[in-house]
Amino acid sequence: MSSLRSHDDTWDIATSVGATAVMVAAARAGETERENPLIRDPYARLLVSGAGTGIWESLLDNSFAERAAEVDAEAAAILEHMGSYQAVRTHFFDEYFAKASAAGIRQIVILAAGLDSRAYRLDWPAGTTVYEIDQPKVLEYKAATLADHGAQPAALRREVPVDLRFDWPKALREAGFDAGQPTAWLAEGLLMYLPADAQDRLFELVTELSAPGSRIAAETAGVTADERREEMRERFARFAAQFNLEQALDIQELIYEDPDRADVTEWLNAHGWRAEGQHSLAEMRRLNRYVELEHHHDDNAFSTFVTAERL
């Protein structure tokens, strides 16, 4: 159970769950600037640069990884794993959207869009509409920042500024969404921030709004053993102190660790979808981006990438 969350909490781009979007964008920026990147996001660094001071500044410092390895080799390996994971995750869901577009789907919904820039950077077919659902301040920041730099969406982009705990289907329809048309949905970097019952309700609503032929992709929430979670917290507290990162966000305090959370693949297969999952570590190995961790004992702590089609 998260200790920093409540049923009515809110955030902007620099606080709480909003700040995690900046960290993810920093990872995309770092990957884009590698010699042979898995993904290219020319907007990621712009979005990070305008977000103020935070741990993301260290993540974008090319010398930080080397200095970190000198202090704590395993912590540095974990940071490398996190960066590679974000690249692999982004690549996987980029490919998902490419396949959905090739199948003729022209209606896209990104749940908890954060600083996702796919509406701008992917090669969308003519007639595609991308709906982005998130907190108002987060969407405002992204749109204003990219507009200031002359960026234009590659598809028709429609903001749906609403918290997913409220009546987001109504807001989505009011933005122009057509439940009679096939939709490609994405729940990336979202489920771990929802309690188990809210996860179920989210998929129930998506199912109600999905015409036959619709697709969904989701990143599941891993479950970390209490002992390992506490060990990680203590390690990064020491690490943060050594690098003057005491104000770094403790993501574990934002996540709902719920052992009774439904298996996403099983839930979808039981509710009118044909679903399959690819474990994130297997995908990292397939793309030659797996990072060996000294104390990795439990695959359940890592997510699965699930894709499904509405029957």
Side-chain angles (χ1 to χ4, degrees), residues 117-259:
S117 64
R118 290 185 174 97
Y120 295 82
R121 65 179 179 82
L122 294 189
D123 186 16
W124 299 106
T128 300
T129 301
V130 179
Y131 295 91
E132 296 187 356
I133 304 178
D134 211 320
Q135 297 264 353
K137 291 181 180 179
V138 174
L139 293 177
E140 289 171 6
Y141 168 79
K142 176 166 61 178
T145 300
L146 295 182
D148 286 345
H149 289 85
Q152 295 294 325
L156 177 60
R157 176 178 176 268
R158 291 184 173 171
E159 295 185 356
V160 186
V162 62
D163 192 305
L164 286 170
R165 290 167 293 192
F166 302 143
D167 191 358
W168 63 266
K170 177 176 182 290
L172 183 60
R173 288 192 181 96
E174 289 176 348
F177 176 83
D178 181 1
Q181 298 297 319
T183 303
W185 303 83
L186 177 62
E188 176 188 33
L190 167 60
L191 300 184
M192 64 282 293
Y193 301 116
L194 299 179
D197 58 346
Q199 173 180 300
D200 290 348
R201 182 56 179 159
L202 178 77
F203 286 125
E204 288 170 1
L205 293 171
V206 167
T207 300
E208 292 173 8
L209 292 168
S210 295
S214 292
R215 301 186 181 194
I216 187 169
E219 173 194 17
T220 68
V223 178
T224 304
D226 290 343
E227 181 179 353
R228 176 59 172 164
R229 189 164 60 251
E230 183 58 32
E231 176 190 332
M232 291 284 289
R233 181 178 290 110
E234 293 175 358
R235 174 181 291 275
F236 274 101
R238 295 193 302 269
F239 185 81
Q242 289 171 300
F243 285 93
N244 297 317
L245 298 174
E246 288 86 348
Q247 300 303 314
L249 187 67
D250 187 347
I251 296 176
Q252 291 294 331
E253 294 300 321
L254 300 175
I255 292 173
Y256 288 91
E257 291 275 357
D258 195 331

Side-chain angles (χ1 to χ4, degrees), residues 191 199 203 218-221 262-269 275 306:
L191 300 184
Q199 173 180 300
F203 286 125
E219 173 194 17
T220 68
D263 180 283
V264 175
T265 305
E266 293 178 0
W267 191 100
L268 290 170
N269 278 326
V306 178

Side-chain angles (χ1 to χ4, degrees), residues 74-87:
E74 187 182 4
I78 293 170
L79 289 174
E80 182 184 357
H81 169 89
M82 291 168 59
S84 290
Y85 172 84
Q86 294 294 339

Side-chain angles (χ1 to χ4, degrees), residues 58 61-72 76 239 242-243:
S58 295
D61 179 353
N62 293 330
S63 68
F64 181 71
E66 294 180 5
R67 291 185 287 121
E70 293 174 357
V71 172
D72 188 330
F239 185 81
Q242 289 171 300
F243 285 93

